[in-house]
Amino acid sequence: MNILLIGPPGAGKGTQAAFITKKLNIPHISTGDMLRAAIAAGSPLGLKARSIMEQGALVSDEIVIALVKERLKQTDCNHGFLFDGFPRTIAQADALEKAQVLLDLVIEIAVPDEVIVKRLSGRRFHLASGRSYHVLYNPPRIEGCDDVTREPLIQREDDHEETIRKRLSVYQVQTEPLRHYYKKLAQAARLQYMTVDGLREINDIKNDIMLALTKIERSV
Ligand code: AMP
């Protein structure tokens, strides 16, 4: 099954992606993670992407499409995959159609902007381990320090409030049109489209998605 998770930054796509990929045993393709890995590796692509990402803008369609096309060549994608954060523009979605990479299911996680700002601006990370915290919802035992190593926590550059607001407006302008794009494909019975309320508990959202997946699997 080829699935797309769509929703604003901070909607909880990464969290639900982990559940879905485990259940279906398919790879999680997150262009944000791939770009961050390129930055960490200091590759030419990483150097190009870094300042764009720090500003909350979108990396060019050309770069991201090439990155995803390369990734899809790997054999672990043969039996399906989960896209998270891609496509993010109509041009990226069109590129998929052109390459005949067809989606079976689009899952939209809906969360209002103000909730997103609260969620993202409170996130903190321990760089070496990837452990994540939230100043309100999941605070570390000692403020600003990782629970295990006591090393300092960092805030992602693009999680600063001003940048979050920029990312939200980029989402509204560039990515929201994709909702209509895929709803139209759903009307034409080309794929299934479901919207989940991202304000509910993580487990409730997970259960809704798992139920939908089981139904779709049965109908295939
Ligand atoms: P994410 O982790 O998905 O929120 O992505 C972090 C940042 O990576 C975004 O704010 C963009 O700068 C960049 N990025 C990730 N995916 C894409 C994409 N599909 N198209 C363009 N830029 C992207």
Side-chain angles (χ1 to χ4, degrees), residues 26-99:
I26 52 175
H28 175 196
I29 302 183
S30 154
T31 40
D33 284 351
M34 289 159 86
L35 291 166
R36 278 185 290 277
I39 292 175
S43 70
L45 166 65
L47 289 177
K48 255 193 206 166
R50 183 178 195 142
S51 65
I52 300 171
M53 287 171 71
E54 283 178 359
Q55 289 160 32
L58 291 188
V59 175
S60 80
D61 288 330
E62 208 184 342
I63 289 181
V64 181
I65 290 166
L67 204 61
V68 172
K69 279 191 173 166
E70 267 314 297
R71 179 65 185 85
L72 290 176
K73 284 184 190 160
Q74 291 178 26
T75 51
D76 63 342
C77 298
N78 289 352
H79 301 293
F81 50 79
L82 176 83
F83 280 146
D84 164 7
F86 176 91
R88 233 176 171 105
T89 62
I90 297 279
Q92 293 175 16
D94 281 343
L96 280 184
E97 288 277 310
K98 206 168 153 210

